[in-house]
Amino acid sequence: MQIQWYPGHMTKARRAMKEDMKLVDLVVELTDARNVSAGRNPDIGELAGGKARLILLNKADLADECVTSEWIECYRKEGIRAAAINAKHPGFKKQFLQEAQNACSAILEKDRQRGLKKRVIRAMVAGIPNVGKSTLINTLAGRAAAKTGNKPGVTRGNQWIRVDDRLELLDTPGILWPKFEDRLTGLHLAMTGSVSDDILNITEVTLELMSFLLIHYPDALTARYGISRENDPERLLIEISGKRGCLKRGGEPDYEKAAGIILDDFRSGRLGRISLERPMDIREAQDENCR
Ligand code: G4P
């Protein structure tokens, strides 16, 4: 299964982002802490050019804490500014403001030397669909300034939101890129809900997720659904359909419905804190591609 999704409005949004780059001091790029590598659109780095940048691993409350620490350490070693956050929780605001000031210290210092003491940092909030851009903005602003929703690809216009006298944020639509490099990238984006469900075969995506869980988080499915210890995802899906009473009209098992329940449970954290990617796996895959 090779998943690709690049609807037309994203080309337009990318063009707008390129223009808006001229207006900002800082690019705040959100990725999904469960999906750190696949969740980063390479186009954003390219468009940001030499701008100050801050990478936020959002939804850290849903990800495996040890894996998130590995990612932060990995970025630290590469000299990249990164932090793990839960955008729903206002606790990160102080840390965010400090990180934004640090990332822009060179610009702020230059302004200070020119006699400009109070300088508003203008930051673009960018990322793929569904990583929590609007949630971040709303939490920082303390009000519902940006539209949230779990449906990827909902178009919205770019808008400036004032957080306080130190920070203004530019809300941008979620953008993906025209071709995912490999099969896993598309799959992981589908699992975390950054690709529209309308183009997916939910049962296939869920079976892939279950195979991953059986290897890396072997207790997750049994703990949630009280099913047998079995290593065949298809047989487990049949068992879960029965346990959850997923039946079509006429009494036939409804595997697609059961798959939808499992995927939803993963996305909302009901299967536990799970990370799909570790820095080590990505490095190995890159080495593999180099051979
Ligand atoms: P986007 O602008 O990047 O497209 O994402 P948006 O803020 O709309 O967030 C997408 C979904 O992710 C929302 O769920 C939002 O609540 C959830 N979310 C965002 N940040 C976090 C986080 O740090 N942790 C967790 N657990 N969830 C987060 P939803 O189901 O669409 O909305 P709602 O029912 O929560 O309102």
Side-chain angles (χ1 to χ4, degrees):
M1 189 192 355
Q2 183 77 42
I3 297 162
Q4 298 292 348
W5 190 54
Y6 192 63
H9 70 263
M10 288 190 188
T11 316
K12 219 172 120 201
R14 188 187 186 281
R15 228 176 287 136
M17 184 179 278
K18 191 174 176 186
E19 277 305 302
D20 289 333
M21 274 300 168
K22 297 171 192 157
L23 309 173
V24 305
D25 307 302
L26 171 69
V27 178
V28 177
E29 182 188 346
L30 267 77
T31 183
D32 191 315
R34 297 165 298 175
N35 212 10
V36 174
S37 176
R40 293 191 58 199
N41 181 346
D43 283 357
I44 294 175
E46 197 189 309
L47 293 175
K51 296 272 175 194
R53 282 168 78 189
L54 175 60
I55 295 165
L56 297 179
L57 279 58
N58 189 34
K59 307 199 184 184
D61 55 309
L62 302 178
D64 184 325
E65 272 176 298
C66 296
V67 180
T68 304
S69 302
E70 285 174 23
W71 279 109
I72 296 294
E73 180 57 15
C74 178
Y75 281 126
R76 196 190 58 77
K77 278 190 185 151
E78 289 178 26
I80 297 169
R81 257 174 227 290
I85 63 159
N86 169 358
K88 282 182 146 180
H89 200 280
F92 76 91
K93 185 170 175 175
K94 207 171 147 202
Q95 181 196 1
F96 177 88
L97 290 171
Q98 191 56 55
E99 295 277 1
Q101 296 267 335
N102 294 346
C104 295
S105 58
I107 307 167
L108 296 174
E109 183 50 36
K110 215 166 140 192
D111 281 352
R112 247 189 304 271
Q113 282 172 5
R114 290 195 337 221
L116 253 172
K117 282 204 184 88
K118 267 205 163 178
R119 161 76 137 85
V120 183
I121 294 175
R122 305 191 95 200
M124 173 187 283
V125 178
I128 63 168
N130 208 37
V131 275
K133 298 178 295 301
S134 309
T135 308
L136 173 97
I137 291 172
N138 292 342
T139 304
L140 286 171
R143 62 184 193 281
K147 205 166 90 187
T148 62
N150 61 354
K151 247 185 141 353
V154 177
T155 331
R156 56 176 188 240
N158 296 14
Q159 52 169 333
W160 283 101
I161 291 126
R162 195 173 177 85
V163 172
D164 57 23
D165 55 2
R166 290 165 297 171
L167 184 69
E168 278 177 16
L169 299 172
L170 179 64
D171 181 22
T172 66
I175 54 165
L176 290 162
W177 57 109
K179 195 169 187 299
F180 304 142
E181 305 68 26
D182 52 52
R183 185 179 159 276
L184 271 187
T185 300
L187 251 181
H188 289 176
L189 292 172
M191 288 173 186
T192 48
S194 288
V195 160
S196 171
D197 280 350
D198 297 345
I199 65 133
L200 298 175
N201 180 326
I202 294 293
T203 309
E204 275 187 40
V205 172
T206 303
L207 286 170
E208 295 271 3
L209 173 67
M210 292 168 79
S211 300
F212 171 86
L213 293 174
L214 289 169
I215 298 168
H216 298 278
Y217 298 90
D219 296 329
L221 292 168
T222 14
R224 173 77 186 157
Y225 306 110
I227 47 172
S228 53
R229 287 211 173 264
E230 155 79 67
N231 274 330
D232 181 345
E234 289 192 21
R235 268 195 264 173
L236 284 180
L237 184 62
I238 295 171
E239 209 180 320
I240 295 168
S241 305
K243 286 237 172 200
R244 289 298 168 109
C246 299
L247 296 173
K248 285 184 187 160
R249 221 184 272 166
E252 241 183 274
D254 190 341
Y255 302 131
E256 202 180 335
K257 187 171 176 196
I261 291 174
I262 299 165
L263 196 57
D264 206 41
D265 282 348
F266 162 70
R267 287 175 178 172
S268 55
R270 287 189 290 267
L271 291 181
R273 299 178 67 150
I274 288 158
S275 294
L276 298 171
E277 297 173 352
R278 285 173 181 265
M280 188 69 96
D281 306 332
I282 303 304
R283 232 170 284 139
E284 276 169 13
Q286 280 166 349
D287 290 348
E288 199 68 31
N289 287 339
C290 292
R291 269 179 215 140

